[in-house]
Amino acid sequence: MKAIKIYQAGGPEQLIYQDVPTPNVKDSWSLVKIKGFGINHSEIFTREGKSPSVQFPRILGIECVGEVAQSSTPALAVGQKVVSIMGEMGRAFDGSYAEYVLLPNEQIYPVHTDLDWTTLAAIPEAYYTAFGSLRQLRIAPQDRGWCVVQAAAWA
C-alpha cells in the first residue's frame, strides 16, 4: 500500500510517500480502507518533533473516515462506513496517512450516511472541536437547552 511515512522530525520534506506493507489484522483490531483524513495542528507538532512520546518512524494521522476492509469482530462488517479519531492513532501506532490503517475496534465508530467521502471527512475534526468546546464550557447533558456551535479547525 502507499503511505506517507516520517523517519525523523523536521519540515514537510520529512514526509515520505512510499510503499509499505499493508497491516495484518490482529485480535481486537480491524483494518480500515481510508477514504479521507484531516491534517491538523497536532500532526504538525508531531512532525516538527514537539511530541516527545512519538517514536519515529511513524505514519501520522489522528483521524479518518473509511470502510472496514477486514475485522476481528462481527460487529464491524466488511464495507461498513466508519469514522475514527484520536486514541493514539498516528502517535502510539501508525495512523491515517495511508491507504489502510489498523485500528483498535473500540476506536472505530460505524456511521450510516449517504454523505460523500469529502463531506464525511470534514466531520470528525469539526465535531470533536465542537464537543470539546461544550465540555470546556461544562454544559451538562441534563441541561436540555439548545446551543449552536460554529466550529472550525486551525488551518
Side-chain angles (χ1 to χ4, degrees):
M1 72 171 185
K2 293 289 189 183
I4 300 170
K5 198 164 187 174
I6 183 169
Y7 290 86
Q8 62 184 21
E13 70 280 357
Q14 297 301 327
L15 299 169
I16 310 297
Y17 184 65
Q18 64 184 68
D19 288 310
V20 298
T22 302
N24 294 316
V25 173
K26 56 186 179 181
D27 277 347
S28 301
W29 292 64
S30 293
L31 187 67
V32 173
K33 179 174 179 51
I34 301 295
K35 296 291 188 169
F37 62 85
I39 298 173
N40 68 52
H41 209 201
S42 156
E43 294 152 351
I44 295 170
F45 282 154
T46 300
R47 178 186 41 88
E48 292 174 340
K50 297 175 184 171
S51 300
S53 67
V54 176
Q55 300 294 310
F56 298 118
R58 177 67 61 223
I59 297 172
L60 301 178
I62 66 169
E63 61 190 58
C64 68
V65 297
E67 294 176 334
V68 175
Q70 294 178 24
S71 184
S72 63
T73 176
L76 295 168
V78 171
Q80 169 69 56
K81 284 185 180 180
V82 295
V83 172
S84 188
I85 186 168
M86 313 281 282
E88 294 304 308
M89 174 177 24
R91 300 177 63 75
F93 56 89
D94 285 337
S96 61
Y97 291 11
E99 290 182 280
Y100 293 88
V101 63
L102 188 64
L103 296 171
N105 292 336
E106 70 271 3
Q107 189 177 317
I108 301 172
Y109 308 102
V111 293
H112 303 280
T113 180
D114 292 326
L115 293 174
D116 61 85
W117 290 113
T118 302
T119 303
L120 187 59
I123 290 176
E125 181 65 25
Y127 169 79
Y128 204 73
T129 300
F131 175 76
S133 298
L134 290 173
R135 190 167 30 180
Q136 288 294 323
L137 293 171
R138 293 183 174 87
I139 296 175
Q142 64 271 18
D143 297 336
R144 302 283 183 200
W146 286 87
C147 179
V148 176
V149 177
Q150 181 177 351
W154 180 88

